[in-house]
Amino acid sequence: MRPRPQSSGRTTPQKLRPRPSPYRISQHKRVPSGPGIPFIGRAILALAVVALGAVVLYSATGQIGKIVANVGSAVSSFLTNAGTGPSPSPSPGALAGAPTIVAPSNPYTSEASVDISGTVPISIIGSTDYTISLYQALQGQKPTLIQHNVAIPQTATFTIPGVKLLKGANVFTATIVGPGGEGTASSPVTYVLDTAKPKLTITSPKDGAKVNGTAVAITGRTQGSSTILARNGSNQSSATARADKSGAFSVTVAIIQGLNAITITATDPASNATTVTISLTRGTGKLALQLTSSLNSFSARKGASLVYTATLTDPDGKAIVGQSVTLTITLAGLGPDVRAGLTTDSHGRVTVTYPVNKHAADAGAGKWGSVTASADTHFGHVQKTISIKTLP
């Protein structure tokens, strides 16, 4: 073991640990600095310091008035420029964009008033600084202010109820009025007030006329683009049509044997209606189709050029013009030939020339063939068949 050193007689020093001070903070906490001085305030403060230095510097030279004026100008300019940048849109004094008016699906109406609806720019929704103005004008006249100070809604859509219409075409426009004045007008929207019943004239057939067939075509004239309804009270049948822009119309309705009481109603685009009643008597006439051939027989050895003519007449014996007719030709020794879509001329006729080459029909020598004409009309279906013999 290592020998212990001899004692010197002095007391061994004790290591003392420092006691915590009662004034010491146990944990450092950051003190919030707060929002501080706004940017504009700090800028003004900096300019004030610069201005104070300038005053001290120039006071001895007599330029104090000039420097104060310059500093004041600089501060004013800074404050003006500091206000620029993003701002609410539109800014006070700016003109708002044009509103939009919703156009009606049908501009014609017999109602004395309508509700005008539309939308405003999104930037002014709910704003109390702006209002809507509504203008009305008859066709070709200057607009007249009829509604003003209409509040901007809390949504994009606005409605101005009960706007009175004047007789004829009413053209509406709207504007936005704000601190900067009145903005541009919206696109025009037109309502046509029409309270007059349309005129209705039946040109054919005449009241009390006698007609034949299972249906009758009623023609007449009324206001352009009106809807036509024909109703036969005798058999409860009905049919509709639309007048063209000039007002001409034609509508076909079924009839029965004897007396037929038919009402024709014309309703214009504004929903005004006029009704006329006519009485018709159905006769005993029948739809007719005549069919003839230039030859009733032909020689297969020599061949031939056959001409077939079909004539179509209505129950009153009048030619049916523009009617589709089908001709089916089946000659002995030849295959069938169907001619569809033939159209009758102004005399109600269709004509077909059918050439047969020499010996082409030899297989049918001594036998009979046929030709059939048929048509489907509004009077009903009709057909006619004739026979043609193929000779050796």
Side-chain angles (χ1 to χ4, degrees):
M1 294 181 61
R2 188 175 179 180
R4 296 180 61 180
Q6 293 184 356
S7 175
S8 60
R10 297 180 180 179
T11 305
T12 304
Q14 299 286 330
K15 292 184 179 180
L16 300 177
R17 294 184 180 179
R19 295 182 179 178
S21 172
Y23 303 102
R24 182 179 177 180
I25 299 175
S26 60
Q27 185 178 357
H28 176 70
K29 294 184 180 179
R30 185 181 182 88
V31 179
S33 59
I37 302 175
F39 169 74
I40 295 179
R42 289 182 303 206
I44 294 174
L45 182 59
L47 288 175
V49 173
V50 172
L52 180 60
V55 170
V56 174
L57 180 62
Y58 283 88
S59 60
T61 61
Q63 300 295 321
I64 183 63
K66 181 177 180 180
I67 190 62
V68 169
N70 290 339
V71 171
S73 177
V75 171
S76 176
S77 176
F78 176 81
L79 291 176
T80 299
N81 293 331
T84 62
S87 60
S89 178
S91 59
L95 293 177
T100 299
I101 301 179
V102 177
S105 57
N106 176 20
Y108 292 88
T109 180
S110 57
E111 299 295 329
S113 63
V114 294
D115 295 342
I116 302 295
S117 298
T119 58
V120 298
I122 296 177
S123 59
I124 64 169
I125 291 176
S127 174
T128 58
D129 294 329
Y130 295 85
T131 58
I132 303 170
S133 291
L134 182 66
Y135 291 83
Q136 180 181 27
L138 290 177
Q139 196 73 41
Q141 297 184 5
K142 293 183 178 180
T144 300
L145 179 62
I146 60 171
Q147 296 273 2
H148 67 286
N149 294 332
V150 178
I152 300 295
Q154 297 298 319
T155 62
T157 303
F158 69 88
T159 298
I160 303 176
V163 178
K164 293 183 178 180
L165 297 177
L166 303 175
K167 185 177 180 180
N170 296 254
V171 181
F172 292 99
T173 54
T175 61
I176 301 296
V177 180
E182 187 171 26
T184 56
S186 65
S187 297
V189 167
T190 301
Y191 283 85
V192 180
L193 176 60
D194 180 7
T195 58
K197 293 183 177 182
K199 293 182 179 180
L200 176 58
T201 302
I202 305 301
T203 56
S204 177
K206 299 298 183 182
D207 184 28
K210 180 180 179 180
V211 296
N212 294 291
T214 58
V216 60
I218 301 171
T219 60
R221 186 171 294 277
T222 185
Q223 183 175 325
S225 302
S226 294
T227 300
I228 308 300
L229 171 64
R231 184 176 181 276
N232 188 348
S234 301
N235 61 0
Q236 306 304 315
S237 64
S238 62
T240 60
R242 182 175 292 276
D244 62 20
K245 291 183 179 180
S246 69
F249 68 86
S250 178
V251 59
T252 300
V253 63
I255 58 175
I256 60 173
Q257 195 73 35
L259 185 65
N260 294 264
I262 301 175
T263 58
I264 302 95
T265 302
T267 304
D268 67 18
S271 298
N272 304 298
T274 298
T275 299
V276 171
T277 301
I278 60 174
S279 295
L280 304 174
T281 301
R282 177 181 170 182
T284 57
K286 295 181 179 181
L287 178 67
L289 178 60
Q290 294 181 346
L291 178 61
T292 61
S293 174
S294 59
L295 295 172
N296 292 328
S297 63
F298 68 96
S299 171
R301 179 173 59 85
K302 295 180 179 179
S305 180
L306 305 176
V307 179
Y308 307 113
T309 302
T311 304
L312 189 62
T313 55
D314 66 15
D316 294 319
K318 298 178 181 178
I320 300 179
V321 180
Q323 178 65 53
S324 177
V325 175
T326 298
L327 209 64
T328 303
I329 305 168
T330 309
L331 299 181
L334 299 174
D337 186 346
V338 179
R339 306 287 180 92
L342 304 174
T343 304
T344 56
D345 60 16
S346 59
H347 300 287
R349 292 194 296 257
V350 295
T351 301
V352 173
T353 299
Y354 190 80
V356 180
N357 296 329
K358 295 178 180 181
H359 301 290
D362 284 349
K367 299 179 180 179
W368 288 89
S370 65
V371 178
T372 300
S374 62
D376 289 295
T377 75
H378 65 272
F379 296 105
H381 175 80
V382 64
Q383 71 178 41
K384 180 73 174 180
T385 299
I386 59 174
S387 299
I388 307 292
K389 188 174 184 179
T390 302
L391 302 175

